[in-house]
Amino acid sequence: GESVGLHLPTLSVQEGDNSIINCAYSNSASDYFIWYKQESGKGPQFIIDIRSNMDKRQGQRVTVLLNKTVKHLSLQIAATQPGDSAVYFCAEKTKGNKLVFGAGTILRVKS
Amino acid sequence: DAGITQSPRYKITETGRQVTLMCHQTWSHSYMFWYRQDLGHGLRLIYYSAAADITDKGEVPDGYVVSRSKTENFPLTLESATRSQTSVYFCASTNGKGTGELFFGEGSRLTVL
């Protein structure tokens, strides 16, 4: 299991700025890494994924970077908007289509 | 509407009582999952199912029971609820192809007094 504290890390950004959310993963055998967004009172929603044989993938306003050497994943959000305020989770896909989630990062967007 | 639905959305119960959380999906997804979410722990897998009549334990299965007699339903039962099971429970499903993206329900908030 992972060691986590009682409080999630928080990233505060100004509206219009770019956001970078980081995540460390543990399983080198994972074939997919996925980012989810969770708004208050709702279930997690898929944002973007990246296959383990890639190092970068772009979506609409989002980019995911994968560094397998240091087992690090990041999510970049361009021109952050108030609607991007949420908790962001990285997840790694393991055997049996199970996802193992990180603890999450709170993104707060200041207007 | 198509999708994945959980019920009840909110439940308050007492220690020792049996509670069942329901999950229903209309996509005919093979895989279904139950996660619990507690502050500071992200989402932790309780049980999962690869198909009807096939279930397996996840990371935190103790105190929970699941069944999957039909593809579309995956109920989670707390046989004798404890305070430590106070949490938000999320059901999810996927067809298991490609990325294995999970589609989540809206969650069931359970409070055990």
Side-chain angles (χ1 to χ4, degrees):
Chain A
E2 55 186 281
S3 176
V4 294
L6 291 176
H7 300 286
L8 298 178
T10 300
L11 175 66
S12 293
V13 298
Q14 197 66 38
E15 181 179 358
D17 287 351
N18 296 334
S19 303
I20 300 177
I21 301 171
N22 297 304
C23 176
Y25 65 90
S26 57
N27 188 350
S28 299
S30 298
D31 56 355
Y32 276 98
F33 299 89
I34 308 171
W35 281 99
Y36 280 85
K37 173 186 180 184
Q38 186 178 26
E39 296 175 322
S40 181
K42 295 187 176 181
Q45 286 185 296
F46 172 88
I47 303 172
I48 190 169
D49 60 20
I50 186 167
R51 198 164 184 161
S52 60
N53 62 356
M54 301 170 65
D55 53 21
K56 181 179 180 179
R57 187 169 187 219
Q58 288 185 294
Q60 186 176 12
R61 277 202 312 120
V62 294
T63 300
V64 56
L65 300 177
L66 176 62
N67 185 330
K68 292 182 286 295
T69 302
V70 295
K71 296 184 181 179
H72 184 267
L73 191 67
S74 69
L75 176 71
Q76 300 178 2
I77 304 174
T80 312
Q81 303 168 359
D84 295 327
S85 294
V87 180
Y88 289 80
F89 294 95
C90 65
E92 47 185 316
K93 181 186 167 187
T94 64
K95 183 181 175 183
N97 285 292
K98 295 177 289 183
L99 294 189
V100 176
F101 286 83
T105 297
I106 298 171
L107 176 64
R108 290 203 174 106
V109 182
K110 298 174 286 187
S111 299
Chain B
D1 287 340
I4 184 165
T5 55
Q6 294 183 230
S7 62
R9 292 292 313 280
Y10 302 92
K11 175 75 176 179
I12 299 174
T13 192
E14 295 177 334
T15 301
R17 291 193 180 261
Q18 183 179 82
V19 176
T20 296
L21 305 179
M22 305 300 293
C23 180
H24 176 78
Q25 52 103 357
T26 59
W27 293 303
S28 298
H29 283 167
S30 298
Y31 292 85
M32 295 188 74
F33 306 83
W34 275 106
Y35 286 86
R36 62 176 287 173
Q37 185 174 34
D38 305 293
L39 187 63
H41 286 278
L43 290 103
R44 292 182 292 176
L45 182 64
I46 305 171
Y47 268 96
Y48 67 103
S49 169
D53 296 322
I54 300 175
T55 63
D56 210 344
K57 296 178 180 179
E59 182 186 354
V60 288
D62 293 343
Y64 303 95
V65 174
V66 293
S67 62
R68 188 127 180 249
S69 58
K70 293 183 178 181
T71 299
E72 60 267 30
N73 296 324
F74 191 39
L76 175 74
T77 298
L78 290 67
E79 293 189 303
S80 179
T82 65
R83 288 182 181 170
S84 65
Q85 292 177 309
T86 292
S87 187
V88 181
Y89 291 85
F90 287 99
C91 180
S93 71
T94 181
N95 60 14
K97 300 172 184 174
T99 70
E101 173 192 349
L102 298 190
F103 296 85
F104 283 85
E106 293 289 275
S108 295
R109 182 177 291 275
L110 176 67
T111 301
V112 183
L113 302 177

